[in-house]
Amino acid sequence: MMVMRRRISYLKLLIICLTMTTIMGMWLHYSASNCHCAHTSNKEAVAAPDTHIQKPPQVPKEEEDNISDGDNRNWGPHKLAIVIPFRDRFEELLVFVPHIHKYLNAQKVRHSIYVINQVDLHRFNRAALINVGFIISMDDGCDYMAMHDVDLLPMNPDLNYGYPEDGPFHVSSPELHPLYHYKKFVGGILLMKREHFEQVNGLSNMFWGWGREDDELYKRMEEVGLQIFRPEGIETDHTNTFRHIHDRQRRKRDTVRVGTQKELQFRRDRITGVDTVQYSLVSSHRMMVEGAVATIYNVKLDCNTELTPWCDHQK
């Protein structure tokens, strides 16, 4: 009797175990099925891209590059070289480059910016650096040039940087420049096309130190009969046409005149010019400032000490 009861107990236990196993299997299968459905549902919940939505027109990469460089060929056949004679004025350069780039883009003037950086130990020679910038930029496809001070920002949108077909165009004319107002002043910003710059043989290379090189250029232009054009109908004046960002306290002018330099600075130089400038190109670097591209050319100017012994300060 005891043996029979034990057998019944074992049988019940076996039936219970089998029932539990069956229920557990069914539950696992049901859970897996629900999980798979939920996963599929999540996939379907992610919206497929709407192929009917219109996207903005894509600018071809080649054209986009030209626009960012300021060289959109749709703006015309002429290309302006902004030539900046430069040394140790990086803060001003960071302001100038994006400003002039936006300014010229607004006028739809094709342009490239050339920063001619003097890295030798001689005194600064603005005119020789402009001659170097002319050579580099004309070889680069430009057909006219703006000799442009880095500290002079045009603020009036009516100033014209277009191609100076008939003669040199003095953007920063005496009545508009913040500092210099004498009649024969042609410094600051002067536009010249290739043929006219070559006609006067560029600028004199004899002006080491600050000043007078643009006065000698005036004599060159006057001698060959070039008419100098200036802005007309400008409603601003010398107080607000340009923004002058030069800090005279931090960067003092090198106005020292050595030996016969004082006497010769008022003469017409018939010895030197763009065809005699001697220099070596050390390196070049392409930089971008706020979307505006400029190329820095580090150059060393050679000094003929017999001709211009004042290229270095005498000790």
Side-chain angles (χ1 to χ4, degrees):
M1 194 71 177
M2 290 292 295
V3 173
M4 182 66 70
R5 286 179 179 176
R6 285 179 181 176
R7 286 180 179 176
I8 293 172
S9 299
Y10 289 145
L11 183 60
K12 286 182 179 180
L13 182 61
L14 179 61
I15 292 171
I16 292 171
C17 289
L18 289 173
T19 302
M20 292 294 294
T21 301
T22 302
I23 293 172
M24 183 67 70
M26 292 176 65
W27 180 81
L28 289 174
H29 177 75
Y30 177 77
S31 298
S33 176
N34 278 350
C35 186
H36 175 72
C37 291
H39 184 65
T40 304
S41 176
N42 286 341
K43 275 187 176 180
E44 292 172 351
V46 178
D50 187 351
T51 55
H52 298 290
I53 296 176
Q54 289 187 342
K55 295 182 179 180
Q58 299 298 308
V59 179
K61 186 178 189 313
E62 189 174 313
E63 184 178 343
E64 184 179 10
D65 289 342
N66 288 336
I67 293 174
S68 66
D69 288 349
D71 188 16
N72 186 344
R73 290 169 177 79
N74 294 325
W75 293 348
H78 301 294
K79 184 177 178 182
L80 170 65
I82 299 291
V83 173
I84 307 167
F86 186 82
R87 175 187 266 176
D88 298 336
R89 299 172 79 168
F90 191 68
E91 298 92 340
E92 295 172 8
L93 186 67
L94 293 178
V95 176
F96 177 85
V97 169
H99 179 89
I100 197 66
H101 178 68
K102 293 174 185 176
Y103 187 92
L104 295 175
N105 278 353
Q107 292 191 7
K108 295 186 177 180
V109 173
R110 292 176 58 195
H111 63 278
S112 289
I113 302 173
Y114 300 84
V115 182
I116 314 301
N117 182 34
Q118 185 176 340
V119 297
D120 55 67
L121 299 179
H122 299 309
R123 299 171 70 190
F124 187 65
N125 192 325
R126 178 178 181 270
L129 294 174
I130 291 174
N131 284 337
V132 173
F134 174 81
I135 294 170
I136 292 173
S137 63
M138 296 303 115
D139 287 344
D140 201 30
C142 297
D143 59 352
Y144 72 115
M145 170 178 67
M147 299 165 248
H148 213 302
D149 288 350
V150 71
D151 58 9
L152 200 58
L153 308 179
M155 305 305 293
N156 187 325
D158 294 329
L159 294 171
N160 186 8
Y161 278 73
Y163 185 69
E165 178 66 49
D166 298 323
F169 186 78
H170 189 207
V171 180
S172 55
S173 59
E175 65 274 10
L176 299 178
H177 193 280
L179 299 177
Y180 306 112
H181 313 299
Y182 59 94
K183 185 178 179 180
K184 294 184 178 181
F185 173 67
V186 290
I189 309 167
L190 180 67
L191 308 183
M192 289 185 76
K193 68 179 185 179
R194 178 176 192 149
E195 293 80 5
H196 288 158
F197 193 82
E198 292 174 341
Q199 186 178 358
V200 300
N201 194 22
L203 284 79
S204 168
N205 299 312
M206 298 180 69
F207 288 86
W208 301 90
W210 181 81
R212 297 296 181 187
E213 75 286 336
D214 48 348
D215 294 336
E216 199 274 344
L217 175 59
Y218 181 90
K219 294 178 181 178
R220 294 182 179 224
M221 293 187 291
E222 184 179 47
E223 187 176 90
V224 299
L226 287 178
Q227 181 181 353
I228 300 171
F229 294 86
R230 287 178 166 136
E232 296 180 354
I234 301 297
E235 297 182 359
T236 52
D237 57 26
H238 69 279
T239 65
N240 55 1
T241 302
F242 298 95
R243 178 184 168 202
H244 193 233
I245 58 176
H246 179 73
D247 186 344
R248 289 192 171 189
Q249 296 300 318
R250 293 183 58 193
R251 296 183 175 89
K252 297 185 182 297
R253 309 288 195 188
D254 176 11
T255 57
V256 176
R257 296 296 182 258
V258 179
T260 58
Q261 183 182 16
K262 185 174 182 179
E263 176 188 352
L264 295 176
Q265 69 179 343
F266 297 104
R267 294 184 184 179
R268 163 74 163 90
D269 173 18
R270 301 188 183 280
I271 302 173
T272 72
V274 67
D275 63 348
T276 65
V277 64
Q278 299 294 315
Y279 69 98
S280 56
L281 178 60
V282 178
S283 62
S284 63
H285 306 276
R286 185 178 168 91
M287 75 171 192
M288 180 176 287
V289 185
E290 298 177 21
V293 176
T295 306
I296 301 176
Y297 294 88
N298 295 323
V299 302
K300 288 185 177 180
L301 299 177
D302 295 337
C303 172
N304 183 339
T305 55
E306 293 183 1
L307 184 63
T308 57
W310 51 81
C311 61
D312 297 310
H313 285 291
Q314 295 182 354
K315 297 179 181 179

